[in-house]
Amino acid sequence: MEVKCLGFSVSVDGGCVSLSELFTFFENEGCVVDANESNQRRFYFDTNSHDDYFKGLVVTVKDQKKFCRLTNENGGFQILVDNLQGDDKLLEFNFLIIHKVTGLGLYQHYYQSCSMNVFGKYLKRYHHQLKKALGDAEISTQATLEGSPLTEGRKQRIRKQFSGQLKFAPLVRQENLEAILKEYRKIKSFEFEYAYLDHEVRAATPLSGFVSRKIEKLSFLGDTSFKNSIAKAISAFTAGGAPKRGKVIVEDYDGESIPIKIFDMPDCFGVEDFDKLAAKLHGLDVDYFYSHEIFDDLIAVFESEEHEDVFGMELQQ
């Protein structure tokens, strides 16, 4: 079984609860346990062990004691059922890193582990809960200072101070762009950097003799009936090789704006055999998960020359 290294981006629009504050909340809790789904998930984050990266570990605890295995007995194959003892549990794991400046990250995933998009939904949920808790605390503080309950208008104005949204999206290959864009309700804008400045581009650029890079942004009409045509046009434009990288702002069916970042990149940023990776984890103390060599491997992938066009240039923008 393969363990793939996938790319994603995460950001917060508004300064009410930053990524650093969110991951510090996780870190201070030691382990955040979420049992709202069929399987329990445990989240571990570290914000201090590396100057440039947040480190994370997602552990999915399976709600089962029995598991099956195939054995060769007397020249024939048999299915045997084993049973875990005591408090032992089956689990799946996902290691991840997030660059503290760019919000770009790498996420290890394999079949039956927590998917990257599901992980993003958890981040959004806890970011929302933390915003609400801070807003409620501020309302309580102001009511105490004033000696009486606040009006609903005052409460709403305080909550607006904590209204920023967490944005989470996978990094997208140009070849997959059209299908992904069509999944959203609306395409709001398309921003891209030219891969090179040819004669036609320079001719349409003010002060072209002094320009080394050019970034353009297109904003689209709000009519959702144009969505498929816009998705097809953006996909065709990126396939033509004109943009070096880009970003499409889409709106989902809940009305939330999401940035879809486009790169000329591989389907994944590395593949490792599951058995070899699992062997490295034997005896890992999750309280010190951040010291494991897996994070050195992820950081090496992130900072490699091979992927500099994806991760490195973001630091310069």
Side-chain angles (χ1 to χ4, degrees), residues 64-210:
Q64 66 182 81
K65 299 292 286 186
K66 297 182 184 296
F67 62 96
C68 299
R69 58 185 176 90
L70 191 65
T71 185
N72 189 339
E73 293 286 344
N74 301 320
F77 290 100
Q78 291 184 350
I79 295 176
L80 299 181
V81 177
D82 287 339
N83 190 42
L84 294 176
Q85 302 298 316
D87 294 330
D88 290 350
K89 299 283 187 180
L90 292 176
L91 64 82
E92 314 292 351
F93 58 87
N94 308 90
F95 288 85
L96 65 119
I97 58 171
I98 301 170
H99 196 279
K100 293 181 179 180
V101 176
T102 67
L104 296 179
L106 290 174
Y107 186 89
Q108 282 188 333
H109 175 261
Y110 59 91
Y111 179 66
Q112 291 189 335
S113 68
C114 179
S115 75
M116 188 168 66
N117 286 335
V118 168
F119 167 68
K121 290 179 180 179
Y122 278 109
L123 287 188
K124 291 180 181 180
R125 179 194 300 172
Y126 283 106
H127 186 262
H128 177 76
Q129 291 176 1
L130 190 53
K131 286 190 309 177
K132 185 178 184 303
L134 291 173
D136 290 344
E138 180 64 19
I139 289 171
S140 177
T141 297
Q142 291 300 318
T144 300
L145 291 174
E146 297 180 20
S148 61
L150 303 187
T151 65
E152 287 303 315
R154 284 283 307 283
K155 291 179 181 179
Q156 289 180 9
R157 287 194 292 274
I158 290 175
R159 289 194 177 102
K160 282 184 178 179
Q161 300 173 21
F162 302 90
S163 59
Q165 298 292 323
L166 183 141
K167 312 292 186 183
F168 184 96
L171 302 187
V172 176
R173 281 173 57 89
Q174 294 170 348
E175 293 88 338
N176 303 332
L177 183 58
E178 181 178 354
I180 290 174
L181 293 180
K182 287 180 177 179
E183 295 177 358
Y184 292 91
R185 177 178 175 272
K186 183 193 302 184
I187 302 173
K188 301 176 70 173
S189 66
F190 174 37
E191 180 179 313
F192 60 90
E193 178 187 349
Y194 284 99
Y196 51 89
L197 303 181
D198 60 18
H199 176 73
E200 291 184 359
V201 173
R202 286 193 178 278
T205 304
L207 304 174
S208 60
F210 305 97

Side-chain angles (χ1 to χ4, degrees), residues 212-243:
S212 62
R213 299 170 58 206
K214 184 175 181 179
I215 298 173
E216 291 203 32
K217 181 177 181 179
L218 309 176
S219 297
F220 303 113
L221 299 172
D223 191 338
T224 57
S225 63
F226 299 131
K227 178 187 69 174
N228 289 351
S229 297
I230 293 172
K232 185 175 182 178
I234 292 176
S235 179
F237 178 73
T238 58

Side-chain angles (χ1 to χ4, degrees), residues 23-55:
F23 296 131
T24 297
F25 157 75
F26 278 103
E27 184 176 39
N28 290 340
E29 292 292 314
C31 171
V32 172
V33 180
D34 192 300
N36 292 321
E37 308 296 335
S38 57
N39 292 316
Q40 181 192 99
R41 289 205 163 95
R42 305 171 71 88
F43 299 91
Y44 303 85
F45 278 93
D46 165 75
T47 66
N48 294 310
S49 66
H50 199 286
D51 291 339
D52 298 325
Y53 298 93
F54 301 118
K55 299 177 181 179

Side-chain angles (χ1 to χ4, degrees), residues 249-267:
I249 303 297
V250 296
E251 183 179 293
D252 65 15
Y253 287 89
D254 294 324
E256 181 180 347
S257 295
I258 299 172
I260 305 294
K261 295 190 176 183
I262 313 159
F263 295 94
D264 181 13
M265 67 181 199
D267 281 325

